[in-house]
Each structure stands twice: as C-alpha cells, then as structure tokens.
Amino acid sequence: MNETFDKIKQQVDALLASEQADLEEIRIRYLGKKGELTALLRGMGKLSPDERPIFGQKANELRAYIEAALEEKKAEQKKAAEANQLKAERLDVTMPGKTPILGKRHPLAQVEEQLVNIFLGMGFDVVEGPEVEYDYYNFQALNIPENHPARDTQDTFYISPKVLLRSQTSGVQVRTMEKQKPPIRVISPGRVYRSDEVDATHSPMFHQLEGLVVDKGITMGDLKGTLELFAKKMFGNDTKIRFRPHHFPFTEPSAEVDISCFVCGGEGCRICKGEGWIEILGAGMVHPNVLRNCDIDPDEYSGFAFGLGIERIAMRYFNINDMRLCYENDVRFLKQF
Ligand code: DAH
C-alpha cells in the first residue's frame, strides 16, 4: 500500500519538476474523477476493516500533498510568466527619441491674439458680430445711406439686396450700442469681405479689428492716449503716433493714424518704404448720427472708434511682402513665424 502511494508521489514530483508542467493535466490524471488516486479510493471496499482507516488517511494525505504541490507550482509559473513579460517589454531608455513635429499658430492668429491681449489689458471686452450682415448694420446705421459714394470703396458680395458679406467690422459698433448702454468699451476682431481682385495687398477676404468706447465726456484725447499706449505695447516703447485728417462717414472728426517705423525709428527704410511712418488704422469720434441710430443721446454721450486691418499689421510686423502667402497654407512659409 505504501509503495503505491510513494510511487504516485514520485510521479507527481517528477511531472512537476518540469518548468512547463501542465498542471491541469496532472490534476485530472491523479485527482480527477477517473484519476489514479480516485481509483485507489474506489478500491478501498476490498480492504479489511482494519486497513481501511489507515488507507483512507494515507490517501487524504497524498491528496493534500498533490494539491499543495500544484498550488505551489502554479504560483511559481505565474511569477516566471510575469518576469518573462517584463523582460520582453523592457524599454531601452537610452535610445534616441523621435522629435514630434509641432504645429504653430498662423501669423495672422498670432497678431490677432497679441492685439486682443493688449486691449483686454486696457479693460476692453471682446464682442463678435455676424459675417453675413444686413446692409443696415454694415452701411446705413453707420451713416452710409444707399448711393453714398463711400460704398464704392467697400463693394462686397450680396446675398440679397439687403443682406451681404460684411465689408468692415464697424457694424459691430451698432449691434453693441443697440444692446448695451454706455459705458461701452469693446473690441471686435473678425473676417470681412470685399469684391477686390487678388494681388499682393488685396484679398476678397481679410481680417479687421474694431474698437469702440462710448461714455460721458469721451474726447479725442482719450482716443489719442489709447492708441498711443496700444502702439507702444505692440511695436515698442519708443513708438510715436501721428494723426492725419481723413474722412469716414461714421466718425467726425476722422483721422488716419500712423506709427513711427518700428524698424528704423523714423529714419526711413525698406519696411516703411523710406517714409519713416507706417499707416496702421482709421479712427475718429463716433458721428452723432450713429449714436442717434442706436438711441444714444449725443448731447449726453460721446465716443471714439477705430478700425485696423490685421493683415496689414501682420505684414509689417513680420515683414511679409505678399498677402497671398497668408492664405496658401504652405508650411515652408508658415513655419517661419
Ligand atoms: N471700417 C473702416 C474701414 O474698413 C476702418 C475704420 C475707420 C473703423 C475709422 C472705425 C473708424 O471704427 O472709426 O476702412
């Protein structure tokens, strides 16, 4: 009897000695319903009553031994598998990495962001208006009635006689004043459209940034101070500004504003085409008619407005000589900024 048990024990030990031992197979072979140990137990009936308890005890001991040995081997195999996996997945951290190609913001977006940040710093809010606009907001409410010659310089694309693609961001002034009563201090960047032929300085779509301040007692001095601070922040502390008289239907008085050239400082160079000054925007005191159109009493309130072309500033800022480059999305161009 002891021999049989010992033999089974030895067989199990031998089977489990192999690293890849199939534990389930061993379990079935010895402990399964048709297993060898089970078969021995079945034959117990043939033994004498004296032998039976001893046999039973031995058999139980062997079963416990096999079960424990299987468990132990299982744990061992699991550990070995984990170790193998770690080994296989090991990273060589000394290998040279691949540099990811990082995109960049478009030069126009960079300049717009810079402009917006400067005005946010001065307490302006950003407002937006629709690109598909009513003739009323783009022209009429801005003191440009039908057949006014100022419309010629801003010919645009018409969706219907009363609806067009806005030719300027100035309409957002009107939309803002209709909704909000003074004090008002807003800027409005965005796309505008004109039916212009494409060339180095023209595009049927470009970007503007509008500014509007309305309150009691706003003067041309406020306009000058605001634009001077803006110019210094944008182009450097030594920048000077110059107002030249001009005409816009929605401002009175109106001016075109130049900055001293930020490259030569006013001496004259390639960037300023030898003039020492660079025109950057149009501005003026909001026309009383425009205030009236928005139900704001011009005897009580006054305001200033300005509008600038983002392309024009970006082209000067980055020394870009052809506006078309801004829209071609050629990486060789874009990655220079
Ligand atoms: N909207 C004008 C344009 O497109 C620019 C402009 C000039 C805007 C004077 C203003 C302003 O707000 O006061 O040419």
Side-chain angles (χ1 to χ4, degrees):
M1 176 169 81
N2 277 342
E3 268 170 41
T4 323
F5 286 134
D6 283 347
K7 219 174 98 195
I8 292 182
K9 197 173 163 193
Q10 275 163 21
Q11 279 175 7
V12 170
D13 283 344
L15 286 170
L16 287 178
S18 154
E19 235 173 73
Q20 274 95 34
D22 186 336
L23 304 183
E24 187 57 9
E25 197 185 295
I26 298 172
R27 192 187 63 76
I28 292 168
R29 182 162 158 196
Y30 294 97
L31 306 179
K33 267 191 200 154
K34 294 176 185 162
E36 292 187 23
L37 186 60
T38 319
L40 284 177
L41 283 165
R42 281 219 184 90
M44 232 164 77
K46 286 177 207 143
L47 296 175
S48 71
D50 289 351
E51 282 174 319
R52 261 181 235 159
I54 303 166
F55 185 92
Q57 198 196 341
K58 288 256 174 202
N60 278 337
E61 275 169 19
L62 182 57
R63 165 181 288 275
Y65 173 81
I66 297 174
E67 279 172 351
L70 283 171
E71 271 310 307
E72 197 183 313
K73 189 71 192 178
K74 192 172 159 189
E76 220 174 83
Q77 282 182 345
K78 193 174 162 209
K79 224 168 150 187
E82 279 170 4
N84 274 340
Q85 193 179 357
L86 279 182
K87 216 165 154 189
E89 289 177 359
R90 208 175 113 183
L91 285 181
D92 182 355
V93 292
T94 64
M95 287 221 318
K98 288 186 195 140
T99 314
I101 300 171
L102 275 190
K104 275 192 184 176
R105 306 207 62 201
H106 192 282
L108 292 178
Q110 288 182 39
V111 166
E112 181 182 313
E113 186 178 82
Q114 216 169 322
L115 294 169
V116 167
N117 280 339
I118 290 172
F119 286 107
L120 284 179
M122 290 195 235
F124 283 71
D125 287 327
V126 178
V127 292
E128 281 184 2
E131 289 171 28
V132 179
E133 183 57 290
Y134 288 108
D135 178 285
Y136 176 77
Y137 289 107
N138 196 73
F139 291 129
Q140 264 159 249
L142 290 168
N143 211 24
I144 312 173
E146 239 172 282
N147 301 320
H148 191 287
R151 289 195 181 213
D152 291 349
T153 59
Q154 296 201 15
D155 191 18
T156 181
F157 304 94
Y158 284 81
I159 280 124
S160 73
K162 288 203 157 91
V163 179
L164 44 76
L165 295 187
R166 68 178 179 186
S167 62
Q168 50 185 348
T169 43
S170 302
V172 185
Q173 289 183 27
V174 180
R175 286 183 170 273
T176 304
M177 287 188 281
E178 277 183 353
K179 278 197 277 234
Q180 186 189 335
K181 292 304 143 195
I184 292 170
R185 210 186 306 162
V186 294
I187 51 165
S188 186
R191 285 202 178 121
V192 299
Y193 302 83
R194 291 189 194 175
S195 61
D196 284 339
E197 293 284 342
V198 176
D199 66 24
T201 53
H202 292 88
S203 159
M205 185 282 298
F206 58 102
H207 300 77
Q208 288 189 335
L209 183 138
E210 192 78 16
L212 173 71
V213 171
V214 184
D215 203 351
K216 285 184 177 150
I218 296 292
T219 68
M220 197 102 179
D222 297 309
L223 171 62
K224 278 192 150 177
T226 304
L227 291 182
E228 196 173 299
L229 185 57
F230 155 68
K232 285 185 194 298
K233 293 216 178 232
M234 186 75 196
F235 299 102
N237 249 341
D238 298 332
T239 311
K240 293 186 211 38
I241 59 167
R242 173 174 88 170
F243 277 53
R244 281 178 291 106
H246 198 74
H247 169 262
F248 296 106
F250 35 89
T251 42
E252 178 60 32
S254 304
E256 272 188 338
V257 179
D258 304 333
I259 55 163
S260 55
C261 178
F262 53 88
V263 176
C264 64
E267 308 260 293
C269 69
R270 227 157 36 92
I271 300 285
C272 60
K273 305 211 169 72
E275 291 188 14
W277 294 92
I278 297 171
E279 184 204 321
I280 56 158
L281 53 79
M285 300 306 291
V286 181
H287 196 289
N289 286 352
V290 177
L291 293 175
R292 260 182 229 113
N293 286 339
C294 305
D295 266 340
I296 294 178
D297 182 357
D299 293 328
E300 198 179 343
Y301 293 102
S302 56
F304 67 74
F306 58 89
L308 55 83
I310 294 179
E311 275 80 352
R312 181 181 267 247
I313 296 213
M315 286 171 74
R316 298 294 189 150
Y317 198 79
F318 289 125
N319 195 12
I320 298 168
N321 59 11
D322 193 325
M323 195 168 172
R324 287 169 286 203
L325 292 165
C326 292
Y327 312 117
E328 283 169 357
N329 285 338
D330 186 329
V331 180
R332 290 169 302 179
F333 168 74
L334 295 174
K335 70 179 175 194
Q336 296 175 48
F337 308 101

